[in-house]
Amino acid sequence: MLPAASFRPNAMSERDHLRDEAHVLFISDLHLSDLDSPVTERFTRFCRSIAGSCESLYILGDLFEFWVGDDTADEPLNRHVCAELARVRATGVRVHFMHGNRDFLAGPGFSAAAEATLLPDPTVIDLHGTRTLLMHGDLLCTDDLAYQAFRRQVRTPEVQRQFLTLSVEARKARVGQTRAESERVKREKSEAIMDVSPEAVTAAMREHRCDLLIHGHTHRPGRHEFEVDGNVRTRWVLSDWTLERADCLCATREAITRIQLA
Ligand code: LP5
Ligand code: MN
């Protein structure tokens, strides 16, 4: 049984942590956008370092800066990322991918190219005996009403179908406009609104009967412990990957540890 609230300081080396077949790794928010960027290089090194050495890798969304359709799976960056994941899978590591708000159009074409299983958001897994709730995290930002309205709209099959009828170039232009508008609107939102709502966290953990939650999206890496209905619950927030920082969570049978990769 994994003690959900336990934390072990990062005393071992990154390599030691990654080399154990019972390890389960979690990453999110890499926002990969450029084949030649240092962040993509770090992702490549990460994939090669975990090959054959852990049980599973969970990618909890926003692996890509954006994914405008599976017909772009052959573009250089996308092809590289999918090939690296497929190589990881070929060494016996199960690769799971949950959509983020940037790459929710990754579908069967992505899944086949990366040999990754697509997970719904939310998903409950058995993590070494502990029921664990996995989410991208955006669904928990319930105070961000404008975003939740936007999310509902772009997650409808009809809107997606129409978007996918556009040329790849037109889709990218549309994403560029939406990104610019999103950045403009975000400047007017408070930090609190763009974080998860504690009530939404509690409700999700209650509904799914989980004492442990792992998510990304907010780019506010942390570990939060709180009590609900007399139980201690733990929420781990994954880090985004930038030039300055990147990490993964590593769950062994004994503990969950944050491994700094940058
Ligand atoms: O992404 P991040 O973390 O910076 O911000 C998010 C929320 N923003 C978004 C928008 C995405 O960044 C845009 C890119 C999506 C790519 C998807 C590809 C496929 C599209 C397919 C369409 C069918 O998710 C942001 C949150 C923030 O997280 C924190 O949680 O606040 O939410 C917003 O900014 C949304 C705005 O509040 C409302 C919507 C503005 C966009 C309006 C569209 C205008 C289009 C212009 C065209 C002329
Ligand atoms: Mn996100």
Side-chain angles (χ1 to χ4, degrees), residues 101-102 105 144 146-147 179 182-183 185-186 189 217:
N101 57 302
R102 303 296 193 90
L105 286 179
D144 194 342
Y147 170 66
R179 287 281 316 116
S182 170
E183 287 304 314
V185 173
K186 273 173 26 179
K189 294 180 187 176
H217 179 67

Side-chain angles (χ1 to χ4, degrees), residues 30 32 35 37-50 80-81 84 87-88 241:
L30 284 69
L32 301 177
L35 185 57
S37 85
V39 179
T40 304
E41 271 171 40
R42 185 181 296 132
F43 169 76
T44 306
R45 281 200 306 278
F46 172 76
C47 286
R48 293 177 185 184
S49 71
I50 68 170
H80 172 75
V81 171
E84 287 297 330
R87 281 174 60 171
V88 170
W241 287 30

Side-chain angles (χ1 to χ4, degrees), residues 16-28:
D16 290 338
H17 274 296
L18 298 175
R19 294 211 166 273
D20 181 315
E21 280 159 23
H23 289 183
V24 179
L25 305 178
F26 301 88
I27 57 173
S28 72

Side-chain angles (χ1 to χ4, degrees), residues 29 31 59-68 97-107 110 118 136 155:
D29 301 281
H31 290 266
I59 305 167
L60 299 185
D62 291 355
L63 171 62
F64 298 97
E65 176 72 353
F66 56 78
W67 181 277
V68 296
F97 175 79
M98 181 180 281
H99 289 150
N101 57 302
R102 303 296 193 90
D103 46 20
F104 59 86
L105 286 179
F110 162 79
L118 291 181
H136 175 55
R155 298 299 178 104

